[in-house]
Every structure is written in structure tokens, then in C-alpha cells.
Amino acid sequence: MTWEPIFDGQPISSIGAISVAPSNPSIIYVGTGEADFRSNLTYGNGVYKSTDGGSTWKNIGLTASRHISRIAIDPHNPDVVFVAAMGSAYGPGAERGIFRSTDGGSTWQKVLFKDENTGAVDITLDPDNPKTLWAALVHDQRPPWSAYLPPLLTARSSNQPMAEQRGIQSPTVDCLRAIGAA
């Protein structure tokens, strides 16, 4: 097996999600920006699409989403695409949540949004009914001066979770089911 880079010519190298259309493997969607809000992370500049197996790429929007964690493509129609956008790691923003395109990324509609501090961390289409989308949202932001301490460096002397013991607020997660989102 030989590996060949196909995205190196783009202006961003931070990747959060890659999805290949099940009905047409020449169509690839890439969401930029790391989805793990750790101490050292880089942001992205939206979603890219290739219709020729990765030979050429076009930025198709959601540039302010900064961190895209997952992309789901309808198994029968590669123009129907869902994007889970985390938003900025360092502050509130409107381009968070679940976005849908029914025209291959030419336009986007926000279909699930909780608030400007809560992003979408995961999505999947129901394999038995791709008109049902499962999504998970998370309120997770990083103050620019913070750092996650490795658990091995902190002694555990109580029954409190490790993150609370260090004074770091644990992210809250909401799991939602969007029925008939497609």
C-alpha cells in the first residue's frame, strides 16, 4: 500500500473530519480545525470539497466555525451533507451546532443550535433510516491562558473527579436526537 498526500496544497493543515461519500467515492468532504480542545490546538477555515478523489479542492463555507468535529453524508445522495461544528475554542460564536447542505455545500442551513457557547462534537446518520440524525453537543471552551494538566502529575486524594480537583470545569455534554433532519 502506498500513501499519497492529497490536501497539502491547501492554505490550512489542521483537519478535524474527513468523510467520503458512500455513493460516490470521488466526492470527499474535509472539515478543518482540530476537534479536541486540548492545550495546543490549531483552528481551521471551514469545509473543503473534492469531486475528483482529492486532486482538486474547493472551500465551500462555514469558515467561522473554526473547529469541525464530524461530517456525515447521506448514503444515497452525496449532495446531502451534515457538519458538526464546535465553534471557536476560545469564546462564544454563532457558527456552532449542526449544519446541513442539500446542494453539495453551495449553501448551508443551521438545523441544530443550542447557544453561542455550545458546539456539536459528533453526528451520525441512522444506518436504517438516513433521514434520522443523531447528534451530541458539548459546552467546551478554553480560556487562552489555561492548560490541561496530565492526570499522572496530580495526586488524587478525594472522591472528586480529577478535573474538578484541579479547578478546571469539566465540559457538559448534551446528547440529542434530531428526527427528520434530512
Side-chain angles (χ1 to χ4, degrees):
M1 180 179 288
T2 303
W3 293 90
E4 179 182 335
I6 61 173
F7 200 78
D8 287 1
Q10 301 314 304
I12 198 81
S13 61
S14 178
I15 304 296
I18 301 172
S19 192
V20 178
S23 62
N24 183 347
S26 293
I27 298 177
I28 307 168
Y29 292 89
V30 170
T32 60
E34 295 177 59
D36 180 14
F37 288 179
R38 55 193 172 86
S39 297
N40 181 12
L41 75 152
T42 57
Y43 61 88
N45 66 352
V47 178
Y48 285 77
K49 180 182 179 181
S50 175
T51 58
D52 56 13
S55 295
T56 60
W57 295 93
K58 179 182 178 185
N59 185 305
I60 57 171
L62 300 179
T63 57
S65 62
R66 311 272 296 185
H67 300 275
I68 295 181
S69 56
R70 191 79 68 214
I71 298 173
I73 305 170
D74 184 288
H76 308 293
N77 183 350
D79 287 335
V80 177
V81 183
F82 293 90
V83 169
M86 291 287 293
S88 174
Y90 299 108
E95 205 160 285
R96 295 176 180 272
I98 306 297
F99 293 84
R100 174 183 59 200
S101 178
T102 58
D103 55 13
S106 294
T107 60
W108 295 96
Q109 176 188 14
K110 191 183 301 184
V111 295
L112 183 60
F113 179 76
K114 182 174 180 180
D115 60 44
E116 65 181 10
N117 295 304
T118 303
V121 68
D122 201 4
I123 53 174
T124 189
L125 293 170
D126 185 326
D128 296 324
N129 179 8
K131 292 189 182 285
T132 299
L133 175 76
W134 293 89
L137 304 180
V138 65
H139 177 238
D140 188 12
Q141 290 180 6
R142 300 285 318 277
W145 58 88
S146 71
Y148 287 133
L149 301 176
L152 295 176
L153 299 179
T154 304
R156 191 171 190 155
S157 61
S158 71
N159 289 332
Q160 291 180 311
M162 194 65 79
E164 291 177 3
Q165 202 173 47
R166 290 191 305 252
I168 300 170
Q169 182 180 4
S170 298
T172 57
V173 177
D174 292 323
C175 293
L176 303 173
R177 180 179 185 207
I179 300 172

